[in-house]
Amino acid sequence: EVQLVESGGGLVQPGGSLRLSCAASGFTFSNYAIGWVRQAPGKGLEWVSHINFGGGSTYYADSVKGRFTISRDNAKNTMYLQLNSLKTEDTAMYYCAKSAHAWLLMIDYWGQGTQVTVSS
């Protein structure tokens, strides 16, 4: 059974940082791309970032480029998202999403999400 468990969310002031983690199990983690999708209150889903199967290629939405960094540790079956210089508009539920592809984010499984709230 595929499981994706996010952690690391919380309340942070504007300009602050957080590190999200996604622990994966139930599939061969190193074979697939994986990424993050967020949903702000009252808004639709927004792709944030994803990383290819080996970790050598990363992709970011323009809204987070230069502030967020995605990475993965295939030995630990875990993906990370470092969030720096946070803005109030980054407030959202952040979902870990597994791809059915090695490079593209073709989502076939979702995690439960972790809440990030940026507020003073």
Side-chain angles (χ1 to χ4, degrees):
E1 178 190 5
V2 172
Q3 288 194 324
L4 302 169
V5 180
E6 302 95 334
S7 61
L11 173 64
V12 62
Q13 293 186 340
S17 298
L18 283 173
R19 189 194 197 203
L20 307 184
S21 298
C22 173
S25 61
F27 64 101
T28 305
F29 183 74
S30 58
N31 283 0
Y32 300 98
I34 193 165
W36 295 93
V37 177
R38 69 185 180 184
Q39 187 169 30
K43 297 191 176 181
L45 294 171
E46 178 190 16
W47 165 74
V48 174
S49 177
H50 75 275
I51 187 167
N52 78 323
F53 70 103
S57 294
T58 57
Y59 309 89
Y60 299 95
D62 286 344
S63 58
V64 306
K65 199 172 294 182
R67 300 188 298 119
F68 291 7
T69 303
I70 192 170
S71 61
R72 65 190 296 164
D73 185 338
N74 284 349
K76 295 183 178 180
N77 287 0
T78 303
M79 174 184 62
Y80 306 96
L81 187 69
Q82 179 68 40
L83 291 66
N84 295 331
S85 303
L86 282 160
K87 305 175 181 180
T88 55
E89 52 263 43
D90 294 317
T91 294
M93 184 70 78
Y94 284 71
Y95 296 96
C96 173
K98 174 193 170 292
S99 179
H101 194 274
W103 287 84
L104 306 176
L105 192 63
M106 298 169 59
I107 298 169
D108 57 358
Y109 289 94
W110 297 82
Q112 298 283 350
T114 186
Q115 178 68 39
V116 171
T117 302
V118 185
S119 175
S120 55

